[in-house]
Amino acid sequence: MSYQLAILRHAKSDWNAGLPDFERPLNNRGQQDAPKIGVWLKNEQWQPDSIIASPAQRARETILAVTQAAAIPAAKIAWNESLYLASMNGLLNTVKALPADTHHAMLVGHNPGMEDLVEYLSSGTLPLTDTGKLFTTANLALFEFDRPWSQLKAHSGKLLHLVRPKDL
């Protein structure tokens, strides 16, 4: 049986909000982009068994908008403070600790750790934006693995989709 992991970077945040980083909300573009990812997930009929998300305000708003648009129960979300600004190794360890009976998982967090994880897991060439960037805000990378979470290693994932709101 295969395993699928959706890696979602939070949507665009409001740097002008005048709040500490952890409390920074989404800006207007972020509020528009996050539901687009949810609609895409719904159209693909992709449902996670489990969602592990950073509790930072911008990540919280992103995944709540995504789950609402995708008709995914918010009860599937586990808020994990260690995902706030986590390194690639920290994120990878979180994924490796997933239960073996979880076959569809989603991780929601921040760069640079999220982009580093996408690069680490991918077995192929990754598509860049027109400006040469890989994992911009509200991007979703969907991977498939032929091994349990605990056995993930570099380049062990097949990238099924890299979804960017501007392309939807």
Side-chain angles (χ1 to χ4, degrees):
M1 176 132 212
S2 68
Y3 294 81
Q4 291 187 348
L5 176 66
I7 299 172
L8 176 65
R9 183 177 173 201
H10 67 78
K12 191 80 170 160
S13 64
D14 186 356
W15 284 92
N16 297 320
L19 295 169
D21 184 73
F22 189 84
E23 298 171 18
R24 195 164 10 105
L26 297 182
N27 68 11
N28 289 337
R29 188 176 108 200
Q31 292 171 7
Q32 293 170 2
D33 285 351
K36 290 178 183 179
I37 297 298
V39 169
W40 184 87
L41 288 169
K42 186 175 184 177
N43 289 341
E44 291 292 314
Q45 299 179 345
W46 193 87
Q47 287 268 329
D49 302 320
S50 176
I51 301 169
I52 304 169
S54 162
Q57 186 63 27
R58 59 195 180 275
R60 183 180 292 272
E61 288 181 32
T62 299
I63 192 55
L64 290 173
V66 167
T67 55
Q68 182 177 12
I72 297 168
K76 291 186 177 190
I77 303 169
W79 306 107
N80 185 327
E81 287 195 27
S82 71
L83 267 61
Y84 174 62
L85 303 180
S87 68
M88 189 277 296
N89 285 330
L91 295 167
L92 182 61
N93 288 336
T94 298
V95 175
K96 284 183 170 187
L98 286 167
D101 63 351
T102 298
H103 288 273
H104 297 87
M106 180 182 279
L107 199 61
V108 185
H110 313 266
N111 264 1
M114 299 297 275
E115 182 170 312
D116 293 343
L117 183 62
V118 168
E119 290 177 327
Y120 177 84
L121 292 173
S122 181
S123 61
T125 304
L126 295 167
L128 302 178
T129 66
D130 295 340
T131 59
K133 296 180 180 175
L134 171 60
F135 211 58
T136 57
T137 54
N139 284 194
L140 177 112
L142 182 59
F143 283 96
E144 185 170 65
F145 304 94
D146 62 359
R147 65 189 74 215
W149 305 117
S150 62
Q151 297 175 19
L152 293 188
K153 60 183 182 178
H155 314 298
S156 61
K158 177 183 177 186
L159 181 66
L160 301 176
H161 301 280
L162 188 87
V163 184
R164 296 182 172 110
K166 71 174 189 156
D167 297 334
L168 300 175

